[in-house]
């Protein structure tokens, strides 16, 4: 059983295109996240949603727009892709409570040419 | 501000112990995590420690927390080639919108 799944796993596209990455979690968690991991493996939080409400919005270009249709899904749409957007994007989820353990998806490797 | 530091690389021989270190600035952290990322995979929680603990042992893993020095370490005993991965230190605290503060990750290479 996959806990946090992402599609697609790989995405190769040209500059200027618009693309979406989808994430689903079947853990019943209340909070979902998007992270960007660059080529040096540095991990950076982008967004977080709690019960479909945006609670974290780090300094991310407006070209990135997250959407949470329900608390089990958090999608990431990227407009006008740039070379610098090439990275691995991870979705994660966590349950409200006393700890903050996050469960990660397998990642989506985005390559912009 | 919040800051978490880790050395970027560590190389050990198979069978030796590995010690991965993490220092942080935010003393109000409640939970301190170690995540492991194998090549081409997502991050997996390896172990964690509460801020009211000094040590936690879990099979080959030992986590030590020195709150005075704001220093967290992960010791892996009898390191195996399968332990080669990137290890991330992450800190969580109440009132931070469930946001974890992440270190940059330590890449552990285990040589046969």
């Amino acid at each position: 059983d996959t806990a946090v799944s992402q599609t697609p796993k790989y995405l190769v596209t040209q500059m200027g295109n618009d693309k979406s990455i989808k994430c689903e979690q079947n853990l019943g968690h209340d909070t979902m996240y998007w992270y960007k991991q660059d080529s040096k493996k540095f991990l950076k939080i982008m967004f977080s949603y709690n019960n479909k409400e945006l609670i974290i919005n780090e300094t991310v270009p407006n070209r990135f727009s997250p959407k949470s249709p329900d608390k089990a899904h958090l999608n990431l749409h990227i407009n006008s892709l740039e070379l610098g957007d090439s990275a691995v994007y991870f979705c994660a989820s966590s349950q409200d409570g006393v700890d903050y353990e996050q469960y990660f998806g397998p990642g989506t490797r985005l390559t912009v040419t | 501000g919040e800051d978490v530091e880790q050395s970027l690389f560590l190389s050990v021989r198979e069978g030796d112990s590995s010690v991965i270190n993490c220092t942080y600035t935010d003393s109000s952290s409640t939970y301190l995590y170690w995540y492991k990322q194998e090549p081409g995979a997502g991050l997996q929680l390896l172990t964690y420690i509460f801020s009211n603990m000094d040590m936690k042992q879990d099979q080959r893993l030992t986590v030590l927390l020195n709150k005075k020095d704001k220093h967290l370490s992960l010791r892996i005993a009898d390191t195996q080639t399968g332990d080669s991965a990137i290890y991330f230190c992450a800190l969580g605290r109440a009132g931070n919108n469930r946001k974890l503060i992440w270190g940059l990750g330590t890449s552990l290479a285990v040589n046969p």
Side-chain angles (χ1 to χ4, degrees), chain A residues 9 31 33 35 37 40-43 45 48 50 55-56 58 90 94 96 98-106, chain B residues 8 30-31 33 35 37 40-43 45 48 86 88 92-100 102-104:
Chain A
K9 188 166 173 63
T31 303
Y33 312 79
Y35 285 89
Q37 186 176 45
K40 293 183 180 175
K41 306 297 185 186
F42 300 154
L43 198 64
I45 181 78
S48 168
N50 177 260
I55 59 169
I56 296 175
E58 295 291 292
F90 287 102
S94 68
D96 286 359
V98 296
D99 71 29
Y100 307 92
E101 179 183 349
Q102 294 182 14
Y103 293 75
F104 281 76
Chain B
L8 294 183
T30 311
Y31 288 79
Y33 299 93
Y35 278 82
Q37 183 181 27
L43 282 75
L45 181 66
Y48 66 93
I86 301 175
F88 290 91
R93 63 174 173 85
N96 204 22
N97 278 332
R98 304 167 192 83
K99 177 179 166 183
L100 294 182
W102 294 85
L104 298 182

Side-chain angles (χ1 to χ4, degrees), chain B residues 69 79-80:
Chain B
D69 294 339
T79 313
Q80 303 297 306

